[in-house]
Amino acid sequence: MVGARAIPAAAILALVAKGAAAAPCRLALLLAIDVSSSVDQSEDALQRGGLAAALVAPDVVAAFLASDAPVALAAFEWSGRYNQAVLLDWTMIRSPADLTDAALAISRTTRSHDDYPTALGHALAHGATVLEQAPYCDAQVIDIAGDGINNEGFAPAQAYAHFPFEGVTVNGLVVLDGSDDARLLGYYQREVMRGRLAFVETARGFADYENAMQRKLLRELSVRIIGLRTGAPRGAAGPAG
């Protein structure tokens, strides 16, 4: 039996837990960059530095901080089926300093592998498991960038079928090089893009990565996405659902 003195303490703990669970967060945003063997050292530097620079671009900072409800941000790199590495653990973005710290953390990372193929389905599956560790937010978005189609392990469709993607939006950033752009863009639109308001942004080579990332972040941080988990219909935007 719970003692009389324990009741107030238990009540306080319950209220604290309830308050923590209800802490407002409008978006859990998970960024994923491709470090497969098709990405050389200079290209990786452009995308890693471009991502960090995009996070502290004035318009992007303003978009992150446009609401009192913060954004939870995390990032990882991916290549082969067993090759994913954390770049930034879940961080609540409440101030410009938070974004500066996140950008610095990402810019100081070095790629974990450079000799593995493109296991896009496994990267998506990993992203779903990372999102399970995120703070509770109104919306969940995986932002996956790459320069090639899946060529190892299971396909995106299998990831969507067997991992927890309900209510999750998946956007893509495709790096085009002019050789087979239509095929690559179509693949991301058909097989990778998923969920309400999902889209695919394009970069014209890795030199355009920073600009493309800025455009994508501004779109993802739009107020249109708020309330996705609580009130909007869910479903895939293509056959990968």
Side-chain angles (χ1 to χ4, degrees):
M1 180 176 295
V2 178
R5 291 185 178 180
I7 294 175
I12 291 170
L13 288 173
L15 288 171
V16 170
K18 182 179 180 181
C25 172
R26 73 183 193 269
L27 174 65
L29 179 58
L30 177 59
L31 311 174
I33 66 172
D34 179 3
V35 294
S36 60
S37 57
S38 61
V39 180
D40 66 28
Q41 183 176 354
S42 63
E43 291 168 340
D44 177 66
L46 284 169
Q47 72 172 340
R48 204 172 296 262
L51 172 55
L55 288 173
V56 293
D59 288 349
V60 173
V61 174
F64 265 100
L65 305 179
S67 168
D68 290 338
V71 173
L73 181 67
F76 71 95
E77 63 180 41
W78 61 276
S79 55
R81 67 177 72 189
Y82 305 121
N83 307 113
Q84 301 93 28
V86 174
L87 301 180
L88 178 72
D89 207 350
W90 286 110
T91 300
M92 202 67 79
I93 304 299
R94 295 188 175 92
S95 70
D98 292 333
L99 276 172
T100 298
D101 289 345
L104 284 173
I106 291 171
S107 68
R108 290 169 177 166
T109 60
T110 56
R111 69 192 295 175
S112 55
H113 301 283
D114 62 4
D115 56 350
Y116 287 93
T118 304
L120 189 47
H122 287 262
L124 289 166
H126 178 75
T129 63
V130 174
L131 272 180
E132 288 189 303
Q133 307 303 314
Y136 184 85
C137 300
D138 289 338
Q140 292 186 314
V141 171
I142 296 176
D143 172 344
I144 191 158
D147 71 342
I149 66 173
N150 188 75
N151 59 19
E152 184 188 46
F154 53 75
Q158 281 65 56
Y160 293 143
H162 298 289
F163 288 81
F165 278 94
E166 183 180 3
V168 176
T169 295
V170 179
N171 298 325
L173 193 163
V174 180
V175 183
L176 305 175
D177 64 5
S179 61
D180 201 0
D181 290 350
R183 177 170 175 261
L184 177 56
L185 179 58
Y187 179 84
Y188 263 73
Q189 291 171 332
R190 292 189 311 272
E191 307 294 334
V192 178
M193 184 177 78
R194 183 189 192 279
R196 183 176 179 269
L197 304 178
F199 66 94
V200 176
E201 183 59 73
T202 59
R204 296 291 172 179
F206 283 92
D208 188 39
Y209 195 97
E210 179 182 340
N211 292 330
M213 180 60 71
Q214 285 190 39
R215 293 192 299 269
K216 186 158 59 58
L217 287 171
L218 288 172
R219 190 167 173 181
E220 288 164 338
L221 293 164
S222 165
V223 294
R224 293 179 308 150
I225 205 165
I226 296 175
L228 179 62
R229 293 181 74 185
T230 56
R234 300 169 182 176

